[in-house]
Amino acid sequence: MGRLEGKVALISGTGGGMGRAAAIEFAAQGALVAGCDLNAAGDAETEALVRGSGGVMRSFAPVDLTDEAAALRWVVDAVAEFGGVDVLYNNASVARVGPWDELDYDEWRRSITYELDLVYLCTKAAWPHLVARGGGCVINVGSVSAARGAGFVHQHAHGAAKGGVVAFTKHLMVSGIPHKIRAVSISPGMIRTPATSPVIDVPGGPLQELIAAIPSRRVGEPHEVAQLASFLASDEALYINGADIAIDGGATAIAP
């Protein structure tokens, strides 16, 4: 029996990268996964991978989680499919990077919308169902960029949005206490995903400089983040609440 046996887990951004890894891991641990993504083809592929391994997943893609009605519909449809919500994993995001004084306001707003606002909208939609369930867990994906500046690429908008996610999580923890709802955030460092491939895999790029700044001397893999998330979502982690957990190979534990 897996650590998430029978739990209903809503995971956003399951069309690839860390979201796909989370869907696979959560399902392997016995969760019933309700996934969504803007990328319907990618999400269908994730669903096929999960089902091919004997897991349970239903894709509701495409869903634009920055649309309040669409976020609510995803949650309502997932509840209709699986009967409730035990875990909300707010993984989805779309970052905008570039020098802050060259980033136009629309790009800034897009980063805030697709990294912070969608966390609020999904959590607002799922909250009544977590309360009705008698408890559960909200896991939000932050970033080490919320805690420190990044020297290798301009991440002002990304860091600001993810800083908001981490702060929102701590306040959410307070609101969840009367309902036995936990709230935690995970702050990844450099993880190998399609989104980071242009930084990690580009010939002559900053990979070696990045690795030199990571005590573990490597970048992380999506399944490592997924394994942490599945533990935090489980009853094994009931005493972990309001925490922001870095998964970055030790990068934020040392002086810059």
Side-chain angles (χ1 to χ4, degrees), residues 230-253:
S230 73
F231 166 70
L232 291 172
S234 76
D235 291 345
E236 298 169 38
L238 290 178
Y239 201 52
I240 301 176
N241 199 6
D244 177 52
I245 301 173
I247 177 165
D248 62 358
T252 53

Side-chain angles (χ1 to χ4, degrees), residues 4-225:
L4 300 177
E5 195 69 33
K7 290 184 182 292
V8 178
L10 276 61
I11 307 175
S12 63
T14 46
M18 292 192 295
R20 173 173 290 175
I24 292 170
E25 169 65 19
F26 276 53
Q29 293 294 339
L32 311 175
V33 176
C36 73
D37 203 284
L38 279 170
N39 180 358
D43 214 39
E45 188 175 321
T46 301
E47 183 181 56
L49 289 169
V50 168
R51 293 188 174 190
S53 298
V56 177
M57 177 180 172
R58 168 75 188 280
S59 166
F60 293 89
V63 180
D64 182 356
L65 296 175
T66 67
D67 181 305
E68 185 173 10
L72 178 60
R73 186 166 58 251
W74 172 50
V75 173
V76 169
D77 289 348
V79 170
E81 178 81 12
F82 294 120
V85 179
D86 297 292
V87 181
L88 172 64
Y89 185 12
N90 284 311
N91 163 79
S93 68
V94 179
R96 285 290 181 271
V97 297
W100 75 271
D101 51 350
E102 297 177 13
L103 203 67
D104 65 41
Y105 185 58
D106 286 343
E107 290 175 309
W108 169 272
R109 281 301 322 162
R110 182 173 175 81
S111 193
I112 300 300
T113 297
Y114 276 89
E115 297 199 87
L116 176 57
D117 292 355
L118 57 71
V119 170
Y120 162 78
L121 291 173
C122 291
T123 305
K124 184 179 180 183
W127 194 260
H129 301 284
L130 289 163
V131 172
R133 201 72 152 178
C137 183
V138 177
I139 303 172
N140 296 325
V141 176
S143 170
V144 296
S145 294
R148 62 184 296 177
F152 66 92
V153 66
H154 302 278
Q155 298 186 22
H156 299 73
H158 173 62
K162 290 301 188 179
V165 169
V166 172
F168 176 66
T169 303
K170 294 184 183 301
H171 291 279
L172 200 63
M173 179 271 292
V174 177
S175 298
I177 290 171
H179 308 291
K180 298 183 179 178
I181 300 171
R182 293 183 298 117
V184 295
S185 57
I186 296 172
S187 284
M190 183 55 69
I191 308 295
R192 188 184 304 277
T193 69
T196 60
S197 180
V199 174
I200 293 176
D201 298 324
V202 61
L207 179 59
Q208 294 309 312
E209 180 184 349
L210 287 172
I211 290 176
I214 301 171
S216 294
R217 295 296 183 263
R218 66 175 179 87
V219 299
E221 300 295 336
H223 73 270
E224 295 176 296
V225 181

